[in-house]
Amino acid sequence: MEVDHEVQQRSYWRWSKQDFLPEESFQSWGNYRHALSQTCFRFKDRLTSRSDDANEIGEVRKQSENEMKRCLNWWDLIWFGFGSVIGAGIFVLTGQEANKHAGPAIVLSYAVSGVSAMLSVFCYTEFAIEIPVAGGSFAYLRIELGDFAAFITAANILLESIVGSAAVARAWTSYFATLLNREANSLRIHTNLREGYNLLDPVAVAVLGIAATIAMISTRKTSYLNWIASAVNTVVILFVIIAGFAHANTSNMKPFLPFGTPGIFKAAAVVYFAYGGFDNIATMAEETKNPSRDIPIGLLGSMSITTVIYCLMALSLTMMQKYTEIDRNAAYSVAFQNVGMKWAKYLVALGALKGMTTVLLVGALGQARYTTHIARAHMIPPWFALVHPKTGTPINATLLITISSAVIAFFSSLDELATLLSLSTLFIFMMMAVALLVRRYYVRETTPQKDLLKLIILLLIVLASSMGTSAYWGLKPSGWVGYVITVPIWFLGTLGISVLLPQQRKPKVWGVPLVPWFPSLSIAINIFLMGSLGHQAFIRFGVCTIVMLIYYFFFGLHATYDMAHQQRKTESLKIVDHEDARANLGP
């Protein structure tokens, strides 16, 4: 990408009003009042407007002023995928959910979540190959579903990034204390603040700061460190699996379904958090040497390996110890202690610590790149979109995520936010599946209006039937009448897309197989798992969404509207200049 010499000379470290609020609507109070008076008109404009592939890859990227460095290959991406996913989740959630919801069937919970995650990986892979930008799902949804859908997703991505990093950093402190043979809260500062906020965690803040510093210095160096930490983690995981099976007692697997089928899906919805993070790979497309080859290998390869590892680890735990005796807080450590391998708890703690370290490292990379592209679109101030000319990394965006995470990690225990994180992740992946169906079956100015109407109706049928199945499951888990209605409706809706609508766009290099069945199944599974999380998660999700909408209608809407119309004016001027030049050349 060519950048004007004048732009390159500007200092990276700047913070004038124009860097944070350059849009016309914020140049004066009069302008802002005028913008607010046009909120309804502007919302309609943003709701119906769409970006396109060329705009996201070209014009929007120019907001960063400097290029990110292309330094990653498929090998890096596989290890990034491995490092971004395998962390505290598998070591903590397995014992918790086996004891509380699933029993030995926790292995099926991981399998269900793995299938759902793999379907989402397929969707991400097709988009990442054709639109290799740092924005990930935010950029893809801007193209297919418009600014408003992209904003809701972006807000959930930022929420998931900030809270998720804080949660991992807090867990890092607990496991580090265990490794030192001390009580989990011994490294935290005890205060008289409200319960849940009274244990201050400076260690978590320091760990977040170190991970972010490494990520800001160099993407390549972060990749090297991720290799080393992930290799150590792999050795520990292999030990856990082999030692667990060596001390297996098949009688511990009976009864296999102590909580019934509902327990499998309740646990699956929670352990889905352990699969979160793979979408970070899609955000590294700008730094990948050969996206069309490297991204499919990185995404599909890492997720396949991860699913197998999770299922084997879950199986080894429940075969080693009766589900009723599993310790919810330190499942693997206590299990090894009970079979006479007390020393193994230190190895487990080391593995969890290494896993969480790689999650924080890869998270610092991926989350900052999401934030960068969100800022490029002016959803948040464009100052956060700037890429440093020497390091080739988005330092400002990294600082935003890190400081926000550090503040939360310092004060909050985060126990209440675990289900909210899973709900946000499932919502994002469901939206991605919808976007893929829209991409395949609708092309602007090409698809006939009647086909567009059919697509909308059939998509609503798929969504409504999936919600109906999820709702019926929540109300009557042991019933069957509702499924006789909702499942066939979902099938007919998907069949209708397959039979009644021609695909308007074929993938250029690699595409999701069995469209529309795979994306439609992804929608159904994600909504089903969302419905298994309970009403408290939806209340928190609703509150967060209201806060997001307030921000959008008072800031994001007007900033993106101004940017979009400024781009249209620029494009119009280019067309006029081109026509004038042709006229001057003569016939």
Side-chain angles (χ1 to χ4, degrees):
M1 180 179 69
E2 294 192 19
V3 183
D4 291 339
H5 181 72
E6 181 183 344
V7 172
Q8 287 184 318
Q9 294 303 309
R10 297 181 68 187
S11 169
Y12 183 83
W13 302 109
R14 58 184 197 263
W15 30 74
S16 67
K17 180 188 173 184
Q18 285 300 106
D19 294 309
F20 286 89
L21 297 170
E23 300 85 11
E24 185 67 26
S25 295
F26 305 108
Q27 295 308 302
S28 68
W29 283 107
N31 287 10
Y32 184 58
R33 284 194 296 270
H34 175 70
L36 290 179
S37 70
Q38 290 191 315
T39 296
C40 291
F41 168 76
R42 293 185 171 196
F43 178 63
K44 182 180 178 182
D45 176 86
R46 294 290 83 210
L47 197 62
T48 55
S49 297
R50 301 288 184 272
S51 183
D52 57 50
D53 296 17
N55 185 51
E56 294 297 310
I57 295 170
E59 292 302 313
V60 174
R61 280 174 62 180
K62 291 179 182 178
Q63 296 288 315
S64 292
E65 297 185 3
N66 298 287
E67 286 274 17
M68 296 184 191
K69 294 179 180 178
R70 291 193 179 274
C71 57
L72 304 175
N73 56 34
W74 63 267
W75 179 254
D76 298 300
L77 295 183
I78 284 180
W79 282 105
F80 270 136
F82 193 73
S84 68
V85 173
I86 298 183
I90 182 65
F91 290 101
V92 176
L93 296 178
T94 308
Q96 172 188 305
E97 293 306 305
N99 179 270
K100 188 177 178 183
H101 288 135
I106 186 68
V107 63
L108 297 182
S109 300
Y110 272 109
V112 169
S113 292
V115 169
S116 178
M118 185 59 79
L119 291 171
S120 298
V121 165
F122 278 132
C123 297
Y124 267 91
T125 302
E126 180 171 328
F127 274 112
I129 290 170
E130 299 200 357
I131 314 167
V133 294
S137 53
F138 170 73
Y140 313 148
L141 291 177
R142 252 170 62 88
I143 292 169
E144 303 305 335
L145 301 181
D147 263 15
F148 183 67
F151 168 77
I152 294 297
T153 306
N156 275 283
I157 288 167
L158 291 179
L159 175 68
E160 181 188 14
S161 300
I162 292 168
V163 177
S165 295
V168 174
R170 294 278 298 200
W172 198 99
T173 303
S174 298
Y175 271 92
F176 186 60
T178 302
L179 199 60
L180 298 176
N181 205 24
R182 298 176 64 172
E183 193 268 330
N185 289 323
S186 62
L187 298 179
R188 297 187 174 108
I189 301 170
H190 296 251
T191 68
N192 295 322
L193 296 173
R194 179 183 162 189
E195 182 70 25
Y197 302 91
N198 58 334
L199 297 173
L200 308 185
D201 198 335
V203 175
V205 174
V207 170
L208 283 167
I210 293 169
T213 301
I214 295 168
M216 287 186 288
I217 291 172
S218 167
T219 301
R220 193 67 191 150
K221 288 184 174 65
T222 306
S223 179
Y224 290 144
L225 286 173
N226 179 62
W227 286 2
I228 296 167
S230 294
V232 173
N233 198 24
T234 303
V235 172
V236 175
I237 286 168
L238 289 174
F239 165 79
V240 169
I241 293 171
I242 295 169
F245 282 117
H247 292 86
N249 182 352
T250 54
S251 64
N252 289 333
M253 300 294 288
K254 300 175 183 178
F256 186 69
L257 288 169
F259 301 96
T261 307
I264 295 175
F265 292 105
K266 283 182 181 178
V270 176
V271 301
Y272 199 93
F273 175 69
Y275 286 98
F278 72 81
D279 48 330
N280 283 321
I281 298 177
T283 68
M284 297 178 193
E286 280 184 37
E287 294 157 281
T288 303
K289 294 175 182 177
N290 186 353
S292 61
R293 182 199 65 186
D294 297 338
I295 289 175
I297 297 173
L299 270 170
L300 299 173
S302 60
M303 185 51 62
S304 301
I305 296 169
T306 299
T307 302
V308 172
I309 285 174
Y310 278 0
C311 290
L312 290 174
M313 287 187 71
L315 192 59
S316 70
L317 176 65
T318 51
M319 290 182 75
M320 189 166 41
Q321 191 171 26
K322 191 77 173 176
Y323 78 93
T324 53
E325 299 169 4
I326 290 175
D327 187 285
R328 293 187 186 183
N329 299 314
Y332 289 93
S333 298
V334 173
F336 281 119
Q337 186 173 319
N338 288 344
V339 296
M341 299 177 68
K342 188 176 180 180
W343 56 270
K345 76 173 186 179
Y346 299 108
L347 193 61
V348 171
L350 177 64
L353 205 62
K354 289 291 183 182
M356 286 181 281
T357 301
T358 60
V359 167
L360 290 173
L361 276 173
V362 180
L365 282 178
Q367 293 155 10
R369 280 137 189 82
Y370 266 131
T371 308
T372 298
H373 205 78
I374 292 167
R376 287 169 175 172
H378 289 223
M379 287 284 185
I380 58 176
W383 185 77
F384 296 108
L386 299 177
V387 171
H388 196 278
K390 290 184 179 179
T391 65
T393 59
I395 293 178
N396 295 345
T398 308
L399 289 173
L400 172 66
I401 297 294
T402 304
I403 293 171
S404 302
S405 296
V407 170
I408 296 175
F410 187 66
F411 289 101
S412 175
S413 65
L414 300 166
D415 294 337
E416 296 295 314
L417 294 169
T419 54
L420 176 60
L421 287 174
S422 288
L423 184 57
S424 292
T425 303
L426 289 164
F427 173 77
I428 293 165
F429 294 163
M430 182 271 292
M431 293 289 285
M432 281 294 298
V434 173
L436 183 73
L437 287 174
V438 172
R439 183 171 182 81
R440 287 289 194 96
Y441 290 95
Y442 173 66
V443 175
R444 288 187 294 278
E445 299 179 0
T446 301
T447 304
Q449 197 68 26
K450 62 176 184 178
D451 283 352
L452 174 58
L453 185 60
K454 287 180 190 175
L455 177 62
I456 293 171
I457 292 171
L458 292 168
L459 273 176
L460 289 175
I461 289 172
V462 169
L463 288 166
S465 59
S466 300
M467 290 178 187
T469 303
S470 181
Y472 187 75
W473 172 265
L475 294 171
K476 296 188 71 175
S478 57
W480 58 272
V481 177
Y483 306 131
V484 174
I485 300 170
T486 58
V487 174
I489 291 175
W490 170 85
F491 178 84
L492 291 173
T494 309
L495 183 66
I497 296 175
S498 178
V499 174
L500 301 177
L501 295 173
Q503 287 196 32
Q504 299 286 339
R505 182 189 276 117
K506 296 287 185 182
K508 299 169 186 173
V509 180
W510 187 94
V512 177
L514 295 176
V515 173
W517 297 100
F518 269 17
S520 184
L521 185 60
S522 180
I523 292 169
I525 294 177
N526 284 321
I527 290 177
F528 186 82
L529 291 176
M530 286 167 69
S532 301
L533 286 170
H535 70 281
Q536 286 294 333
F538 282 91
I539 292 172
R540 296 186 196 108
F541 183 76
V543 171
C544 290
T545 301
I546 290 170
V547 173
M548 295 169 188
L549 290 176
I550 291 171
Y551 170 86
Y552 180 72
F553 285 112
F554 281 92
F555 176 82
L557 169 63
H558 308 292
T560 53
Y561 177 87
D562 286 348
M563 184 203 178
H565 283 267
Q566 181 60 43
Q567 283 184 340
R568 288 174 194 170
K569 288 179 185 177
T570 304
E571 289 170 6
S572 298
L573 289 173
K574 286 181 180 178
I575 292 170
V576 170
D577 290 343
H578 181 66
E579 289 177 349
D580 288 345
R582 288 182 63 186
N584 290 332
L585 289 172

